[in-house]
Amino acid sequence: MKKSILLSFFCVAMLLLHAQQRPNVLILYADDLGYGDLSCYGAQHISTPRIDWLAENGLRFTNAHCTGSTCTPSRFSILSGRYAWRKKGTNILPGNANLTIPTDITTLPKVFQHAGYTTAVVGKWHLGLGDTFPIDWNKEVTPGPKEVGFDYSFIFPATADRTPTVFMENGTILGLDSLDPIQVNYKHAYPGELTGKNHPEMLKIKSSQGHDGHIVNGIGRIGFMEGGKRAEWTDEELGYTFNTKAIDFIDQSLQEKKPFFLYYAIHNIHVPRMPGTAFKGKSQLGYRGDAILEMNHSVGVILDALKDRGLLENTIIIFSSDNGPVLDDGYFDNSAETAAKLGYKPAGIYRGGKYSALEGGTRIPFIVYWPKHVKPNTVSNALFTQVDLMASFAKMLHEKLPLNEFTDSRDYFTTMIGKSDRDRNYIIEQPENMALCIVKDGWKYLTPANGPAILPGVNIESGISQEDQLYNLKNDPRELHNLARAYPQKVAELKKLLEKTKAE
Ligand code: NG6
Ligand code: CA
């Protein structure tokens, strides 16, 4: 009897010890950061020492991918463990769209919750909110991050260039004056609303295309908004505000004595690039470069906070991006001009970038830091995709994904922490025009489509062709030599696999 009591005490103690030792997990998810935008990935003309530190003390991937070359699909996939192209309405969303992630499925944050973690999202959301249209922004908007699995959320709803230009904390707009209720639409300006189209003289940064709606902080946005004057953000404070909220959440988790999962969706370096005043003009690369410096600083602030709290040793930190780079994404901020002058290549050696089907679209920086288990200063050339984070972390946490639930997520945990160099068996890349690409064993097949070779406005190579395209990425990483005619069997094999996956 006595023995069995002792034994159960021992088991409980072991369980507690195990619970205490479970690593915190922090995903630092940058916006529109290209493969060539960090000095640890070979960037010239810009220096990112705080992010480089993660690579020097961790594992840097050369062949890791987000699932889409735009924001919403990649974010949908990383959180839900599903390819976004399986679901309608998951392309770049307006700021008044409804929640795209079903609330009844297993998600990455729910896996952590189930394992006893406290979970949070801080930063950019861009996955829609609520389930009624139009959204009533003046009360708690639900479902949202909470129903997706985040205990705490401090977000902006869509992008910094889309209305509503407000913060939301746990579903409610921060600082909203009830006498000045908010309305949002994407069709027409409200009576008396100042827009970039009608008041260009009010703008401190001009739109090169598409951002001529609601004006806040001297910047025209996409969409319109009425009311909420006191709740609107100042762009220069976005970095500071999100850093502060991220650290507050970390402190909260310490108080709760729970390990944390924090998905910090950094707003930089998406447009409008309007970094904190201390960073303006500090790079040679216009506001885009300044935004990279601010992002590097934000990472440093979070690293320092973890170190001060003694958490750095037992926190897995992943740094990555949601899609490839773009220089002019709709504002004249001197980024395209400075890059052209200096020969700066934000996608590194790869062609294409944001929106495109070429490798620059989805091949992104991916760094894993975990001092206890990941060898410092190592490089992995394994094929890896962000859609696998859910199953990989489930494996780490000994959590079982429900067998009767479909997911695209697969366990590549050992690859993720550098204990193996096993490639993902194949990945699917989603460009903006939805003509999917598939990559397997170094071969990449691009589905034929109609459209321009160079995307107008952003001046990015789309990768679009009316013909089948097949590239051998190992010999031809720049996708210059179309081998589709020379290897018809390879084309057929990859096409078949793509169709089979689509039909799953
Ligand atoms: C485009 C916007 C671009 C950016 C993008 C979404 C124009 C001309 N372009 O439609 O500025 O907001 O959508 O970016 O309006 S993402 O990273 O969130 O996918
Ligand atoms: Ca993005």
Side-chain angles (χ1 to χ4, degrees):
M1 180 69 183
K2 244 187 183 171
K3 219 174 173 185
S4 75
I5 291 175
L6 265 177
L7 196 66
S8 21
F9 266 126
F10 178 74
C11 289
V12 170
M14 284 310 285
L15 275 174
L16 280 174
L17 196 69
H18 177 68
Q20 274 166 10
Q21 284 173 344
R22 279 174 307 171
N24 304 301
V25 175
L26 167 62
I27 298 181
L28 298 163
Y29 206 46
D31 198 353
D32 295 2
L33 190 78
Y35 187 85
D37 273 324
L38 299 174
S39 31
C40 58
Y41 276 84
Q44 305 283 320
H45 315 292
I46 192 94
S47 173
T48 51
R50 303 308 301 267
I51 302 167
D52 298 353
W53 183 89
L54 290 171
E56 282 153 20
N57 292 281
L59 173 65
R60 185 173 66 83
F61 282 77
T62 63
N63 198 8
H65 293 255
C66 47
T67 62
S69 59
T70 58
C71 173
T72 305
S74 291
R75 286 163 202 259
F76 182 92
S77 298
I78 197 170
L79 294 185
S80 74
R82 283 148 178 88
Y83 283 122
W85 43 261
R86 294 196 187 279
K87 189 168 190 273
K88 273 213 167 79
T90 54
N91 246 319
I92 304 175
L93 293 176
N96 61 348
N98 286 138
L99 181 65
T100 49
I101 298 184
T103 55
D104 58 351
I105 61 168
T106 305
T107 62
L108 177 63
K110 283 182 190 170
V111 167
F112 281 101
Q113 273 181 336
H114 197 255
Y117 280 60
T118 179
T119 61
V121 49
V122 172
K124 168 174 172 172
W125 182 241
H126 210 187
L127 290 163
L129 291 167
D131 57 6
T132 56
F133 197 83
I135 294 169
D136 182 354
W137 296 96
N138 303 291
K139 54 182 200 196
E140 188 181 337
V141 181
T142 168
K146 188 174 166 197
E147 289 69 24
V148 170
F150 292 107
D151 300 319
Y152 174 73
S153 61
F154 188 93
I155 57 169
F156 59 57
T159 58
D161 60 348
R162 281 172 174 76
T163 58
T165 39
V166 293
F167 297 116
M168 298 186 84
E169 190 163 32
N170 292 330
T172 307
I173 291 180
L174 196 72
L176 184 62
D177 174 359
S178 59
L179 298 177
D180 185 27
I182 289 195
Q183 287 190 72
V184 175
N185 85 77
Y186 274 68
K187 291 207 169 111
H188 52 78
Y190 291 95
E193 184 181 8
L194 302 173
T195 63
K197 190 171 179 192
N198 296 332
H199 288 277
E201 77 287 354
M202 289 183 66
L203 302 176
K204 62 182 176 189
I205 183 167
K206 303 249 184 283
S207 162
S208 58
Q209 54 157 342
H211 297 92
D212 58 1
H214 184 71
I215 299 178
V216 59
N217 190 31
I219 303 171
R221 319 280 164 154
I222 309 171
F224 305 96
M225 173 170 159
E226 181 178 62
K229 277 282 155 261
R230 287 189 201 168
E232 285 194 275
W233 70 57
T234 305
D235 299 75
E236 285 85 340
E237 292 174 359
L238 288 174
Y240 170 81
T241 308
F242 287 140
N243 290 344
T244 306
K245 292 293 174 177
I247 295 169
D248 284 353
F249 164 71
I250 292 169
D251 283 336
Q252 185 63 34
S253 78
L254 281 175
Q255 272 186 15
E256 288 175 21
K257 296 194 171 33
K258 277 184 171 182
F260 70 77
F261 168 64
L262 171 57
Y263 166 67
Y264 182 3
I266 299 173
H267 75 292
N268 277 318
I269 57 171
H270 194 278
V271 294
R273 301 169 190 126
M274 189 51 61
T277 311
F279 298 93
K280 285 180 185 163
K282 292 292 180 208
S283 76
Q284 305 173 61
L285 292 167
Y287 274 2
R288 186 174 186 278
D290 300 346
I292 294 177
L293 296 183
E294 188 185 46
M295 175 193 64
N296 173 67
H297 171 80
S298 287
V299 171
V301 167
I302 303 298
L303 290 181
D304 290 345
L306 291 173
K307 193 167 177 215
D308 289 349
R309 288 156 182 75
L311 297 174
L312 207 44
E313 282 298 300
N314 196 30
T315 301
I316 301 179
I317 304 175
I318 292 178
F319 179 92
S320 197
S321 174
D322 70 335
N323 53 252
V326 53
L327 294 167
D328 179 345
D329 205 14
Y331 293 93
F332 290 111
D333 62 9
N334 211 20
S335 303
E337 295 78 355
T338 46
K341 203 173 102 201
L342 294 169
Y344 181 77
K345 302 273 180 241
I349 63 158
Y350 297 103
R351 281 173 58 204
K354 183 171 180 176
Y355 311 107
S356 106
L358 295 164
E359 282 297 281
T362 64
R363 196 184 288 233
I364 33 68
F366 192 88
I367 303 170
V368 182
Y369 168 89
W370 191 19
K372 283 190 179 165
H373 297 274
V374 171
K375 261 205 204 140
N377 212 6
T378 44
V379 173
S380 172
N381 300 319
L383 181 65
F384 188 81
T385 167
Q386 292 172 0
V387 83
D388 288 340
L389 288 188
M390 184 171 87
S392 301
F393 277 118
K395 175 76 177 186
M396 176 189 92
L397 296 165
H398 308 294
E399 288 289 314
K400 287 216 162 34
L401 297 178
L403 284 174
N404 56 356
E405 203 184 307
F406 176 84
T407 93
D408 289 296
S409 197
R410 302 286 177 269
D411 164 32
Y412 279 85
F413 186 67
T414 52
T415 298
M416 198 178 88
I417 63 167
K419 295 263 188 268
S420 141
D421 53 9
R422 186 168 68 104
D423 280 333
R424 217 294 179 171
N425 52 353
Y426 64 95
I427 65 162
I428 293 175
E429 301 176 4
Q430 176 183 343
E432 194 201 14
N433 73 348
M434 296 289 271
L436 301 180
C437 313
I438 179 165
V439 177
K440 187 176 189 323
D441 303 330
W443 291 93
K444 173 167 172 181
Y445 168 73
L446 290 76
T447 306
N450 292 318
I454 306 277
L455 297 168
V458 292
N459 196 25
I460 288 173
E461 285 186 279
S462 67
I464 297 172
S465 162
Q466 287 175 334
E467 290 180 10
D468 283 328
Q469 292 177 80
L470 178 76
Y471 297 101
N472 184 319
L473 294 175
K474 285 187 180 147
N475 306 330
D476 178 24
R478 287 181 49 71
E479 298 163 273
L480 291 167
H481 308 289
N482 184 2
L483 301 176
R485 290 205 181 149
Y487 293 88
Q489 274 183 339
K490 194 43 94 182
V491 169
E493 176 200 324
L494 290 178
K495 253 184 179 173
K496 200 171 152 199
L497 187 55
L498 178 59
E499 288 313 315
K500 184 178 150 263
T501 309
K502 278 159 84 172
E504 274 172 359

